[in-house]
């Protein structure tokens, strides 16, 4: 009987929080985040390994989210990824953003968990120092523009998970 214990796979998480406005440039839903992977991945040999990337995304209630629209997100890490599409928009979609609404309120918000989309595979995670977050209204073929309540932007939290394969 083989009693070999399989070594657990490493998982690294990157949290992108839009309320930390010093961590990104651009606009809220077309943002470029600066990331320091060295603070997350401490073993140099782990950068050259292959990873499965999944993400979750949660936003605040936003009256501009239309239930008749499809919303997609692209997480661009400056790496070649195996994503293609047959459209003329030249937009790559990492996944779709789900819409939810609090019971009794009816105002939608974005809410997506890793199982909502297929993972994206990377041959390595070397040289990732920025992550661009782009949210698109697919039918309208535009970058999503959130509503505002006075001067309060409709912020979000995006967690990207890299799991060793």
């Amino acid at each position: 009987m083989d009693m070999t214990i399989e070594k657990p796979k490493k998982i690294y998480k990157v949290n992108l929080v839009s309320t930390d406005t010093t961590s990104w440039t651009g606009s809220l839903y077309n943002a470029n985040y600066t990331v320091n992977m060295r603070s997350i991945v401490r073993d140099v040999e782990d950068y050259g390994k292959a990873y499965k990337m999944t993400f979750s995304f949660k936003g605040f209630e936003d009256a501009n989210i239309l239930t008749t629209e499809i919303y997609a997100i692209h997480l661009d890490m400056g790496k070649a990824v195996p994503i293609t599409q047959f459209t003329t928009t030249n937009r790559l979609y990492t996944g779709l953003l789900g819409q939810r609404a609090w019971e009794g309120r009816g105002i939608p918000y974005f809410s997506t968990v890793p199982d909502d989309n297929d993972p994206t595979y990377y041959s390595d995670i070397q040289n990732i120092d920025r992550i661009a977050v782009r949210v698109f209204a697919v039918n309208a073929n535009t970058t999503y523009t959130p509503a505002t309540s006075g001067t309060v932007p409709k912020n979000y939290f995006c967690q990207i998970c890299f799991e060793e394969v």
Side-chain angles (χ1 to χ4, degrees):
M1 185 163 130
D2 185 9
M3 299 297 288
T4 305
I5 298 175
E6 189 174 316
K7 183 178 173 185
K9 295 180 179 184
K10 293 185 179 178
I11 297 175
Y12 298 107
K13 295 181 181 182
V14 177
N15 295 325
L16 306 176
V17 185
S18 67
T19 54
D20 181 4
T21 56
T22 63
S23 67
W24 58 271
T25 59
S27 60
L28 191 60
Y29 283 86
N30 191 6
N32 293 301
Y33 285 83
T34 301
V35 296
N36 181 0
M37 292 297 281
R38 286 184 205 92
S39 69
I40 302 165
V41 182
R42 299 185 194 263
D43 295 328
V44 175
E45 64 272 6
D46 289 348
Y47 287 98
K49 295 178 181 177
Y51 289 87
K52 171 177 76 171
M53 187 275 292
T54 57
F55 71 93
S56 58
F57 189 96
K58 178 75 180 261
F60 286 99
E61 291 179 328
D62 190 339
N64 277 11
I65 298 173
L66 305 174
T67 57
T68 56
E69 180 60 89
I70 298 169
Y71 297 95
I73 187 170
H74 181 56
L75 301 170
D76 182 359
M77 295 167 218
K79 312 275 297 165
V81 293
I83 300 173
T84 189
Q85 62 194 29
F86 299 98
T87 69
T88 58
T89 63
N90 295 322
R91 298 176 195 243
L92 294 175
Y93 303 127
T94 305
L96 299 176
L97 293 178
Q99 301 174 39
R100 313 277 193 279
W102 297 111
E103 189 175 327
R105 291 183 50 91
I107 302 171
Y109 61 92
F110 292 128
S111 182
T112 299
V113 297
D115 286 342
D116 290 343
N117 290 287
D118 291 330
T120 301
Y121 291 87
Y122 289 89
S123 60
D124 64 69
I125 56 172
Q126 296 178 40
N127 303 317
I128 295 176
D129 58 4
R130 71 161 189 88
I131 299 175
V133 175
R134 311 270 187 266
V135 176
F136 304 103
V138 176
N139 293 331
N141 192 25
T142 61
T143 299
Y144 175 68
T145 303
T148 57
S149 299
T151 59
V152 179
K154 300 302 181 178
N155 289 298
Y156 58 83
F157 175 85
C158 180
Q159 184 174 75
I160 299 170
C161 179
F162 295 98
E163 181 180 352
E164 182 182 356
V165 292

